[in-house]
Amino acid sequence: MKDNTNTIRLFPQRWQVLSGSWLKMIAILSMLIDHLAGFVLCYDNKFIEPLFTIGSKPINWYILMRLFGRLAFPIFAFLLVEGFQHTHDKMKYGRNLLLFALISEIPWDLIHYGQCYGPSQNVIFTLFFSYLALCSVGQWESKRLSTTRMATYIFGLIALSILLRTDHGSYGVGFVLLLYFLRQNHIFQAAAGCCYLGSRWLAGLAFIPINLYNGQRGFIQGTLGKYLFYIFYPLHLLVLYLIRI
C-alpha cells in the first residue's frame, strides 16, 4: 500500500505502532541476550544441554539466545539509515559514532581477547564507515559528487572495514547501503535484505519490527537519553567481561 509520501509499505499503516525508542530497546535487548550467551552462559553446561531436536540438530538455550541476537544488527543498521536522513547535524552524528567506536574498543578487546588490544574492531566502526558511505551517497544525490568519486569513496570504506576487520565488516556496510537505496519500497527492502543476509536468514525476522516503525522518536528524548543509548554498548561489554572473569 502507498501513503502520500509514495512509500510502498509491507504492512498497513495502522499496524505501525513502534517508535524509534522501542526499536532501540528491541535491538539492545537482542544484542545483550546474544552477548550474554556468547560470552558468559556458554561456559555453563545447563545452557548447552539439548532442549529438543529439529531433525537431527539438537537445540539448546545457547542456540536460541544466539538466534534471537541476530535481530540486533539489522535493526541498528535501519536506525542508522533513519538517523542519517533526519539528523540536523551530520558532522556531529558522525563524530559521535567515531567517538563511541573508540571508547568501545577496549571493552571489545577485553571480552574477545582478554587484553586491551586485539586484531578486530567493534561494530560501531562498521556503523561509522557505513555512515560515511551514506554521506557520500547523499553528496552524490545532491549533485555535489560524481558517480565515479562516490563509488571510489564507498569501495575505499569497504576496503578499510576489511583491513581493520570490523565486526560485520564489508557485509555490514553493504547491508546499510541496501536499506538506504530501497527505503521507499519496504517490500523490496525486506525481500532483498533477507536474500542479502544469506545463511543468516533468521536475522530477516528483524524486518517485522522494522516495518512496525511509525517514524516517531518515542520516549528516548534529549541529550541524556541519546548518550545513554550510545554508552550502553561499551558498558555492557565491560560488565559481561567482569562477570566472566
Side-chain angles (χ1 to χ4, degrees), residues 150-189:
M150 177 197 69
T152 301
Y153 289 159
I154 290 175
F155 281 119
L157 291 165
I158 289 173
L160 193 56
S161 70
I162 295 171
L163 180 65
L164 293 178
R165 294 179 59 186
T166 65
D167 191 24
H168 292 290
S170 58
Y171 159 88
V173 177
F175 186 75
V176 169
L177 289 171
L178 181 148
L179 293 186
Y180 180 77
F181 282 117
L182 295 179
R183 66 192 183 281
Q184 295 298 325
N185 191 318
H186 295 177
I187 296 174
F188 285 171
Q189 186 189 65

Side-chain angles (χ1 to χ4, degrees), residues 21-195:
S21 297
W22 279 114
L23 282 184
K24 289 178 181 179
M25 297 304 295
I26 293 169
I28 283 176
L29 179 62
S30 172
M31 177 179 66
L32 177 60
I33 288 175
D34 181 56
H35 289 169
L36 184 63
F39 297 130
V40 179
L41 299 180
C42 57
Y43 298 102
D44 188 335
N45 289 333
K46 288 184 294 185
F47 284 89
I48 58 176
E49 292 175 354
L51 295 171
F52 55 89
T53 60
I54 297 180
S56 59
K57 184 175 179 59
I59 304 297
N60 53 37
W61 278 113
Y62 172 81
I63 292 174
L64 292 175
M65 293 171 75
R66 297 305 301 270
L67 289 176
F68 181 67
R70 294 291 180 265
L71 300 181
F73 183 77
I75 296 176
F76 282 128
F78 174 79
L79 290 171
L80 181 71
V81 171
E82 284 293 300
F84 169 76
Q85 293 179 90
H86 296 110
T87 183
H88 298 298
D89 190 336
K90 286 184 165 52
M91 182 68 72
K92 185 177 179 180
Y93 196 106
R95 183 198 67 193
N96 288 340
L97 283 171
L98 179 58
L99 175 63
F100 280 93
L102 294 170
I103 290 172
S104 302
E105 193 53 29
I106 289 179
W108 166 270
D109 290 332
L110 285 173
I111 198 73
H112 281 86
Y113 308 109
Q115 58 188 20
C116 295
Y117 176 79
S120 64
Q121 322 306 320
N122 68 81
V123 74
I124 303 185
F125 278 108
T126 302
L127 295 176
F128 174 64
F129 294 149
S130 300
Y131 182 76
L132 294 181
L134 290 176
C135 289
S136 298
V137 173
Q139 291 289 304
W140 171 73
E141 288 177 331
S142 61
K143 311 297 184 184
R144 292 195 289 265
L145 200 65
S146 68
T147 301
T148 301
R149 187 164 292 182
M150 177 197 69
T152 301
Y153 289 159
I154 290 175
F155 281 119
L157 291 165
I158 289 173
L160 193 56
S161 70
I162 295 171
L163 180 65
L164 293 178
R165 294 179 59 186
T166 65
D167 191 24
H168 292 290
S170 58
Y171 159 88
V173 177
F175 186 75
V176 169
L177 289 171
L178 181 148
L179 293 186
Y180 180 77
F181 282 117
L182 295 179
R183 66 192 183 281
Q184 295 298 325
N185 191 318
H186 295 177
I187 296 174
F188 285 171
Q189 186 189 65
C194 289
C195 292

